[in-house]
Amino acid sequence: MIEVEGLTKRFGATTAVDDVSFRVEDGEVLALVGTSGCGKSTTLRMLNRLIDPTEGTVRIDGRDIMQVPLEELRLGIGYVIQGVGLFPHWTVARNIATVPRLMRWDRARIDARVRELLELFQLDPAEFGDKYPAQLSGGQQQRVGVARAMAAEPSVLLMDEPFGALDPVTRAHLQDEFEAIQRRLGTTVILVTHDMDEAFKLADRIAVMDTGRILQIGRSELLLREPQEGFVRQFVGLDDRALRILSLHGVAEIATPHKVEGWEVLDGAVVDQASGRRILPLAPSDTLREAASRIIWEGADSLPLVEAGMLVGAVRAEDVWRVGRRA
Amino acid sequence: MRRGRAIGLLIAAVLFLALALQPQLFAPLLALLNDPGQQIIYDRQPLAMLVLWHVAVVAAAETAAVITAVALGILVTRNRGGDLMTLARTISNLGQTFPPIAVLAVTVPIVGFGFEPTFIALYAYGLLPVFENTVAGLRGLPPATLEAARGMGMSKPAILRQVELPLAAPVILAGIRISTIINIGTATIGSTVGAKGLGEVIIAGLQAGNQAFIAQGAILVALLAIIVDGAFRLFER
Ligand SMILES: Nc1ncnc2c1ncn2[C@@H]1O[C@H](COP(=O)(O)OP(=O)(O)OP(=O)(O)O)[C@@H](O)[C@H]1O
Ligand SMILES: [Mg+2]
């Protein structure tokens, strides 16, 4: 658990971070969002003491970080730096091995871990392990940066715009991978991003910052349903808030498991018996946003939900609309 | 490119060794510079011996200068404090602005003739390029890389050894190269205070009006500088 209280950082006359307090539970993902220069990176860097605060305290698992030996503190906190910052004179494998080596893992364990991480982040170990950072694309470097931060399975992970330089497809894939790893390990994460979609996708809670202050912090859905007047309202974006709310829910939440009439599973696809049309079914991992989009596209009142090739229920349009509707 | 450089280096090395070890081979060529009857090959000391002395004094002074200048460069870049920086810069600047010949004049009465005053003059003269390049190399590192090193939990000595010095090495090496080749030339003045070296051949030539002496001494010094420069450049990549 990370507890931040009254954290303030002044650089001369400018107050980069102004009396910020929040708390992140074990295994939780908090997104820190806000416009450029609002103090996100500065906040993050005070948590691993790359910057010492002017005022305020930070406690990690109950311990004041000022009381923890510096190197010990940092070895326990994964850090994905804005701008990646790979070591240019080391290979990809050596970069990822940085923290395990500092922790004096044995060679075999380090090699196995490096290979595992490269595969996880879709970089072929045989091809990329021995390359130097300059030989990688920007997106590949970013992936190595995230892998390096996660190498020793830290219980706390600080990520400063980790997926910025990626195309939407790769980014979505990595976000999924990251989410799966994070859930599996129960890592506590603070994620800095400009990208609201990323924040909604990965975070349990979101803190909106402006000029050094946290204006509003809360569960993602709360931020959408009850954004504070002014900056937060503008930053969160209200035009597609219904769709964003839908994206926070999975189809399994509202699927009706009754025996569904009128559909038939034929060679993996679902056929609507009345019209004879093939319908792409929903899967349990789909969000309600995806369901809404398909419902509109198919012009249907409901869509079949298929799991492992079996028709297991239906998602009704009216139920989807209800989830996205104002309270 | 690299191959061309290696070949050039090889040719310079062959010429250099031939001239140092078998100067007689070049006698017909050098004779063209002199009046008939004048001595052509310097023989008060074997040229190879003088080369060794020349290399020895440069190597000794340069080693001491590199150790001092790199240590100073590391020291002044450790914190943002500017005082130490100014002091170190003044000292190394002084070494460079003070002409080596003047250093000889000042040191000879204190340490006597020969190797020592030459060593001191070359040491002082060699500091600045190494110091400046060490500082530039260490200051010029990408901030994101250093932040990553700190953020990962590396200790300060580990960051210096594993990240900063390796990344700054090409710039520091370039400083050492420049400093060394300057001193290979400058070392010739050591002969004015009785240090053994190639300067002796040139000075003898100047005193006796012997163009062949001047040529063989100057060519050996020039080839030595070219070889050392080329060797450093090969090593720098
Ligand atoms: N070392 C420093 N010295 C002086 N001012 C600084 C320093 N670091 C940051 N600042 C200032 O503090 C403010 C917040 O900077 P910070 O890097 O935290 O912003 P950010 O929210 O991460 O922005 P971005 O999204 O562009 O990365 C900025 O006004 C910046 O100029
Ligand atoms: Mg930032």
Side-chain angles (χ1 to χ4, degrees), chain A residues 250-269:
Chain A
V251 290
E253 290 173 34
I254 59 161
T256 47
H258 63 77
K259 178 88 186 77
V260 282
E261 305 292 325
W263 287 313
E264 194 178 19
V265 181
L266 259 179
D267 329 322

Side-chain angles (χ1 to χ4, degrees), chain A residues 11 14 16 35-42 45 82 161 194:
Chain A
F11 295 108
T14 50
T35 49
S36 183
C38 70
K40 305 181 295 291
S41 298
T42 306
R45 293 159 73 190
Q82 183 174 17
E161 297 185 31
H194 298 288

Side-chain angles (χ1 to χ4, degrees), chain A residues 141-213:
Chain A
Q141 290 182 20
Q142 270 193 332
R143 281 183 263 174
V144 175
V146 178
R148 179 177 65 175
M150 299 181 80
E153 303 194 348
S155 59
V156 172
L157 189 58
L158 309 176
M159 311 217 289
D160 203 339
E161 297 185 31
F163 305 121
L166 298 170
D167 63 276
V169 175
T170 314
R171 178 194 304 224
H173 172 80
L174 279 186
Q175 287 168 341
D176 290 342
E177 287 296 351
F178 172 77
E179 199 172 17
I181 302 167
Q182 185 272 333
R183 298 266 180 259
R184 197 183 78 217
L185 300 177
T187 318
T188 309
V189 180
I190 300 184
L191 166 77
V192 165
T193 178
H194 298 288
D195 179 359
M196 279 316 287
D197 286 319
E198 182 164 282
F200 283 122
K201 177 159 183 180
L202 296 180
D204 300 303
R205 284 188 308 144
I206 298 177
V208 182
M209 284 188 77
D210 188 36
T211 59
R213 297 176 152 272

Side-chain angles (χ1 to χ4, degrees), chain A residues 45 71 74-75 79 81 85 89, chain B residues 144 147-148 150 152-153 162:
Chain A
R45 293 159 73 190
E71 272 104 45
R74 289 174 180 164
L75 284 176
Y79 180 44
I81 179 179
H89 59 309
Chain B
E147 173 160 341
R150 292 203 293 143
M152 299 287 119
Q162 297 182 29

Side-chain angles (χ1 to χ4, degrees), chain A residues 24-269:
Chain A
V24 192
E25 302 295 333
D26 284 341
E28 194 184 22
V29 180
L30 175 76
L32 225 48
V33 301
T35 49
S36 183
C38 70
K40 305 181 295 291
S41 298
T42 306
T43 304
L44 212 58
R45 293 159 73 190
M46 283 192 278
L47 302 186
N48 60 4
R49 291 191 53 198
L50 284 170
I51 298 179
D52 280 331
T54 312
E55 277 163 39
T57 57
V58 177
R59 276 194 298 279
I60 295 180
D61 295 332
R63 279 214 289 175
D64 186 336
I65 59 165
M66 300 307 280
Q67 309 303 325
V68 184
L70 202 56
E71 272 104 45
E72 184 192 324
L73 174 79
R74 289 174 180 164
L75 284 176
I77 301 178
Y79 180 44
V80 182
I81 179 179
Q82 183 174 17
V84 192
L86 296 180
F87 301 114
H89 59 309
W90 286 348
T91 62
V92 164
R94 177 73 179 83
N95 263 282
I96 295 175
T98 306
V99 179
R101 282 177 70 126
L102 289 171
M103 296 172 104
R104 309 197 180 286
W105 289 14
D106 62 58
R107 264 218 87 81
R109 186 170 169 212
I110 293 177
D111 290 348
R113 181 71 181 142
V114 167
R115 196 159 324 115
E116 181 189 344
L117 279 164
L118 281 171
E119 274 163 6
L120 220 50
F121 286 100
Q122 298 215 312
L123 296 165
D124 177 12
E127 187 186 345
F128 288 96
D130 293 328
K131 283 198 172 169
Y132 286 89
Q135 297 170 294
L136 305 184
S137 74
Q140 289 164 346
Q141 290 182 20
Q142 270 193 332
R143 281 183 263 174
V144 175
V146 178
R148 179 177 65 175
M150 299 181 80
E153 303 194 348
S155 59
V156 172
L157 189 58
L158 309 176
M159 311 217 289
D160 203 339
E161 297 185 31
F163 305 121
L166 298 170
D167 63 276
V169 175
T170 314
R171 178 194 304 224
H173 172 80
L174 279 186
Q175 287 168 341
D176 290 342
E177 287 296 351
F178 172 77
E179 199 172 17
I181 302 167
Q182 185 272 333
R183 298 266 180 259
R184 197 183 78 217
L185 300 177
T187 318
T188 309
V189 180
I190 300 184
L191 166 77
V192 165
T193 178
H194 298 288
D195 179 359
M196 279 316 287
D197 286 319
E198 182 164 282
F200 283 122
K201 177 159 183 180
L202 296 180
D204 300 303
R205 284 188 308 144
I206 298 177
V208 182
M209 284 188 77
D210 188 36
T211 59
R213 297 176 152 272
I214 291 186
L215 297 183
Q216 189 173 8
I217 180 168
R219 302 205 70 81
S220 309
E221 184 154 354
L222 182 87
L223 220 66
L224 287 164
R225 289 192 180 277
E226 296 163 28
Q228 214 179 66
E229 285 296 330
F231 182 81
V232 179
R233 213 168 243 275
Q234 192 190 335
F235 195 79
V236 169
L238 300 186
D239 291 345
D240 53 358
R241 72 165 139 184
L243 293 175
R244 282 208 155 122
I245 291 171
L246 290 180
S247 75
L248 297 174
H249 296 269
V251 290
E253 290 173 34
I254 59 161
T256 47
H258 63 77
K259 178 88 186 77
V260 282
E261 305 292 325
W263 287 313
E264 194 178 19
V265 181
L266 259 179
D267 329 322

